[in-house]
Amino acid sequence: MLLLLMGCPQQTPEEVTISGYVSDNPGSTNPLEGVTVSVMDLTFEEQDSVVTDAEGFFSVVTTAGVPVYFDLQAEGYARTAHSGNAGLNDWTVALGQLWLESEDDLSELQALYAGCPGVGEEGGLIGGEVRFWLEGYEPDDGAWPLATTAFARAYSSEGDSFDSCHLNEEGTAYDPEALVTGQSGQYAIFGGPAGPVTLTVGYVIEEQPTWAAEYQIYVPDGGIAPLWPSYVPFPG
């Protein structure tokens, strides 16, 4: 009787369908046609690959309940990768959440960080902005505060490490003496590892550096993995 009252346990699905749109900038409502969307699971092996239609729409199938990695490619744009979690149910990615970095924007980023080790070299690029967050709390304006004393380090699957570059206080150019993000909250790692990458993000508090977050991401060879933002928990 107890078993009948409890019912049968729900079986965890093996696969989920992720649908959505690809746009030309973060938050953009301009969909892109002809984007090749390849999706990988935690094995970093391709699970599905499709091309967006005239409305920028795609639908892919991948492993349920594990990390998911989107590898986006289209003519005139830099190869761009996004990371997330597949979940246990079918879901739709809203327009503006998956985007491609334009080749012009990538050139501007390289110019902004001119002089940073790795700029113009082979490998992958990780670009991001660090913000604090607190579980269970939502800022009144919806924007979490920038972490101005943050830094990042990427590790390849072989264990090689690559440290972040930072901008000057005005956020207008690379500063070789800047060890943290500064007022822009931004960082970049050029010429870094491609493929599966472990990204660690930390901050300095009371002159003590502290590693605060770790991300398992995918970085396309010759492309960019944008993390806008990279979240770290509030100190304390």
Side-chain angles (χ1 to χ4, degrees), residues 190-229:
F190 291 87
V197 171
T198 300
L199 180 70
T200 55
V201 183
Y203 50 78
V204 177
I205 181 170
E206 297 180 353
E207 300 184 355
Q208 294 295 321
T210 302
W211 294 109
E214 181 175 292
Y215 296 90
Q216 300 297 323
I217 64 175
Y218 176 80
V219 182
D221 192 12
I224 181 172
L227 282 88
W228 300 83

Side-chain angles (χ1 to χ4, degrees), residues 4 13 27 32 42 69 82 86 100 120-121 133 135 149-150 168 172 201 207 228:
L4 291 174
L32 289 177
L42 78 174
Y69 305 95
H82 296 273
L100 275 164
E121 297 181 6
W133 72 279
E135 186 176 2
T149 65
N168 56 22
T172 56
V201 183
E207 300 184 355
W228 300 83

Side-chain angles (χ1 to χ4, degrees), residues 31 36 40 62 71 93 226-227 234:
T36 299
M40 297 167 285
T62 188
D71 186 359
V93 181
L227 282 88
F234 272 108

Side-chain angles (χ1 to χ4, degrees), residues 39-54:
V39 63
M40 297 167 285
D41 64 9
L42 78 174
T43 66
F44 292 97
E45 295 182 357
E46 185 179 291
Q47 302 298 305
D48 200 0
S49 183
V50 298
V51 177
T52 58
D53 63 16

Side-chain angles (χ1 to χ4, degrees), residues 93-177:
V93 181
L95 183 60
Q97 293 184 348
L98 283 180
W99 74 91
L100 275 164
E101 192 91 11
S102 73
E103 292 181 350
D104 288 342
D105 287 344
L106 187 59
S107 295
E108 290 180 7
L109 188 63
Q110 291 172 332
L112 182 65
Y113 281 89
C116 167
V119 172
E121 297 181 6
E122 295 181 353
L125 165 59
I126 303 170
E129 175 188 79
V130 186
R131 290 182 179 270
F132 288 113
W133 72 279
L134 182 64
E135 186 176 2
Y137 173 77
E138 187 66 33
D140 292 337
D141 60 0
W144 293 97
L146 289 169
T148 58
T149 65
F151 52 90
R153 178 177 294 166
Y155 293 91
S156 70
S157 55
E158 290 78 28
D160 298 322
S161 62
F162 302 79
D163 288 329
S164 55
C165 290
H166 308 105
L167 303 175
N168 56 22
E169 278 302 305
E170 295 76 24
T172 56
Y174 165 63
D175 183 352
E177 297 184 358

Side-chain angles (χ1 to χ4, degrees), residues 49-105:
S49 183
V50 298
V51 177
T52 58
D53 63 16
E55 297 179 348
F57 183 80
F58 71 92
S59 184
V60 291
V61 176
T62 188
T63 309
V66 298
V68 61
Y69 305 95
F70 296 93
D71 186 359
L72 311 178
Q73 300 183 66
E75 185 176 353
Y77 293 86
R79 188 176 171 188
T80 307
H82 296 273
S83 305
N85 195 291
L88 297 176
N89 299 295
D90 296 348
W91 55 286
T92 300
V93 181
L95 183 60
Q97 293 184 348
L98 283 180
W99 74 91
L100 275 164
E101 192 91 11
S102 73
E103 292 181 350
D104 288 342
D105 287 344

